[in-house]
Amino acid sequence: MVFLLLKFSAYAEYPLKSTSFKTFDGWRFGIGTGYALYIGDQMDYKITRNYGDFKELRPHFTLSAFKQKNEEREWGFVYKVGSFQTLSSGDSTGIQSNYNEFQLVFNKSLNENVGLNGGPFTINFQSGLGFTYFKSMYYSVNSNFQTIDYVMSSVGYGNTETTNRVGASLNVYDDHIPNKKLAIIGNLGFNLGIRITKEVRLYWENSLNISLSNKMSGNLVKNSRIPPDMYFYTGLQLCYRFGAGGSRVGCPRVWF
């Protein structure tokens, strides 16, 4: 009887604990930045770095959460805030798009080390599908001031009239859609992961993001509907990882 009372007292003072159980076990959370470059029939195959108001290397920010399934696969959610811009026709016209995206993304490790548990390096094939919510414009360029001269068509800018540096109206539309558009978007690419510490990882992503819309460029004047608008994204992401991941199942330890 005394033994049972002592044992019960030990349970009451030190309840059962499982060190393997964590709410975020096997998850990694990340924040990143990079650049998005337009890919399509309106690109001029060069990157404009410093031409007046125009810079095609525009910041792109990401937030992510991934759950490891096993040492080969993981899945997660990625939220993006980005923009792309490009000039064409001898820098006489340009397009620009600003967007918010949400994608469900799957990673498959090509060296069976998706969680970076078995080594300091992984290369992952990635694919994803989601939605993009964007506004865009197609405009002529004032070569003297190196600014937007006139907006020829747009999506998501309403009917508010704006002016350029010399006071001329920018909203001379051949066509326009006043509200932002929602479109399906997917991605294919790869990412390289490096384990910095036990919890911290660095990833370098390179992916082609393909929209089912041809209005992300803002050019509503063109007649061609193929190819759809897309962009290439390259960027770095720093992630913090919790737990051992999906390939390891810890045995709970009990303290008395």
Side-chain angles (χ1 to χ4, degrees), residues 109-128:
S109 175
L110 302 183
N111 60 339
E112 297 185 352
N113 189 31
V114 73
L116 291 167
N117 299 316
F121 172 80
T122 184
I123 178 169
N124 303 325
F125 171 76
Q126 74 172 58
S127 59

Side-chain angles (χ1 to χ4, degrees), residues 107-151:
N107 286 324
K108 175 179 169 47
S109 175
L110 302 183
N111 60 339
E112 297 185 352
N113 189 31
V114 73
L116 291 167
N117 299 316
F121 172 80
T122 184
I123 178 169
N124 303 325
F125 171 76
Q126 74 172 58
S127 59
L129 187 66
F131 297 93
T132 181
Y133 188 57
F134 65 90
K135 65 178 181 179
S136 56
M137 65 168 69
Y138 171 58
Y139 49 80
S140 64
V141 176
N142 187 317
S143 59
N144 294 323
F145 294 96
Q146 297 179 352
T147 60
I148 295 176
D149 193 9
Y150 294 103
V151 175

Side-chain angles (χ1 to χ4, degrees), residues 7 12 15 22 38 49-51 57 80 96 98 107 110 119 127 130 160 198 220 225 230 233:
K7 190 172 183 180
K22 295 179 182 179
Y38 170 79
R49 295 179 181 270
N50 190 15
Y51 181 73
L57 294 178
K80 300 180 180 180
Q96 178 177 312
N98 298 76
N107 286 324
L110 302 183
S127 59
T160 303
K198 181 180 179 181
L220 308 180
R225 296 293 185 250
M230 61 189 79
Y233 173 74

Side-chain angles (χ1 to χ4, degrees), residues 37-46 48 56 84-97 136-140 152-153 213-230:
L37 301 174
Y38 170 79
I39 304 293
D41 56 2
Q42 298 173 79
M43 58 190 295
D44 60 356
Y45 302 98
K46 68 177 183 178
T48 302
E56 294 186 17
F84 62 72
Q85 181 185 77
T86 188
L87 302 181
S88 59
S89 303
D91 295 340
S92 62
T93 62
I95 61 173
Q96 178 177 312
S97 180
S136 56
M137 65 168 69
Y138 171 58
Y139 49 80
S140 64
M152 293 181 283
S153 63
S213 171
N214 66 340
K215 296 181 173 62
M216 283 194 77
S217 68
N219 187 350
L220 308 180
V221 181
K222 67 176 184 177
N223 294 321
S224 174
R225 296 293 185 250
I226 299 176
D229 292 319
M230 61 189 79

Side-chain angles (χ1 to χ4, degrees), residues 176-197:
H176 73 277
I177 299 173
N179 299 320
K180 293 182 178 181
K181 298 290 288 184
L182 184 68
I184 296 174
I185 194 166
N187 83 79
L188 293 172
F190 67 92
N191 60 78
L192 305 177
I194 300 174
R195 186 178 64 205
I196 299 177
T197 69

Side-chain angles (χ1 to χ4, degrees), residues 27 65-67 74-78 103-106:
W27 284 87
F66 280 88
K67 171 67 172 177
E74 68 177 1
W75 63 272
F77 304 98
V78 178
Q103 292 195 42
L104 175 63
V105 178
F106 297 88

